[in-house]
Amino acid sequence: MGVSMATAYSRAIEMGCRCLEIDCWDGGWADHYEPIVTHGHAACSTIRAREAISAIAACYEALPPALRTPPILSLEMHCTIPQQAKLAAMFREILGEALVLPTDGQLRSPAHLMGRILLKGRVLAANHAAFKSSGYAAPPADMATPPRGPSLSESDPTTHSSRAAPAPTAD
């Protein structure tokens, strides 16, 4: 089994990588458990999401200002709604002002984003069944973005990546 370490994210940032994929999974079912980062069903260990986010933040902050082009943290989300809420709180707490939050829907230039960190992932609409059944409130307005469909999950065969492409239609 491969050993996962939060420092791998730091090394990637130091080497100039500016798009990092983070596979987020539930850390357990008890309320005190936090999300974890691991590579799906591969033979590797897990790390706490908090450790990965902290390693990224510390390394990025230590870079000289001229090298702080905005990294994109691409979230591959496998967490339940309660764990997603914990993950969102962690990103806000650890990244603080460096985290870019959607405000007015306007795109920003790379120069404006220097020293900032971007998150990429899917957001469930506030009226999505998963939110309604979770008992959690909709995400805060400053985290809300236009819905782009439900999160990918193995339990939803319509979004699974191995789905065959639709057959061409005759015109």
Side-chain angles (χ1 to χ4, degrees), residues 18 60-70 110-111 113-115:
R18 290 298 180 263
Y60 187 67
E61 196 170 299
L63 290 174
L67 297 179
R68 287 195 209 158
T69 53
L113 295 172
M114 289 295 284

Side-chain angles (χ1 to χ4, degrees), residues 24-29 34-36 78-84:
C24 305
W25 294 79
D26 284 350
W29 297 105
E34 291 187 338
I36 58 171
H78 300 277
C79 293
T80 59
I81 299 297
Q83 293 275 300
Q84 287 182 44

Side-chain angles (χ1 to χ4, degrees), residues 5 12 18 28 36-37 42 56-57 59 67 69 72 80 85 89 103 108 117 132-133 143 146 150 156 162 170:
M5 295 182 293
R18 290 298 180 263
I36 58 171
V37 173
I56 292 167
C59 180
L67 297 179
T69 53
I72 300 168
T80 59
T103 54
R108 305 289 185 243
I117 297 174
K132 290 179 181 177
S133 65
M143 290 282 293
D156 183 358
S162 64

Side-chain angles (χ1 to χ4, degrees), residues 19-168:
C19 187
L20 302 170
E21 181 177 282
I22 303 175
D23 289 14
C24 305
W25 294 79
D26 284 350
W29 297 105
D31 286 341
H32 64 277
Y33 289 144
E34 291 187 338
I36 58 171
V37 173
T38 189
H39 188 66
H41 303 290
C44 63
S45 61
T46 64
I47 56 175
R48 293 180 180 179
R50 179 176 300 280
E51 292 172 8
I53 299 166
S54 295
I56 292 167
C59 180
Y60 187 67
E61 196 170 299
L63 290 174
L67 297 179
R68 287 195 209 158
T69 53
I72 300 168
L73 306 182
S74 179
L75 305 180
E76 187 174 306
M77 189 59 62
H78 300 277
C79 293
T80 59
I81 299 297
Q83 293 275 300
Q84 287 182 44
K86 287 182 180 185
L87 197 56
M90 277 185 236
F91 277 111
R92 285 174 175 266
E93 171 194 334
I94 297 166
L95 300 180
E97 292 297 315
L99 179 62
V100 175
L101 296 175
T103 54
D104 57 8
Q106 298 295 314
L107 296 176
R108 305 289 185 243
S109 71
H112 181 265
L113 295 172
M114 289 295 284
R116 307 290 301 275
I117 297 174
L118 304 166
L119 294 182
K120 174 185 153 293
R122 291 193 171 202
V123 177
L124 293 177
N127 62 355
H128 191 277
F131 268 125
K132 290 179 181 177
S133 65
S134 72
Y136 278 77
D142 62 349
M143 290 282 293
T145 58
R148 298 182 186 234
S151 293
L152 298 177
S153 72
E154 292 178 28
S155 63
D156 183 358
T158 63
T159 60
H160 198 272
S161 61
S162 64
R163 186 179 79 195

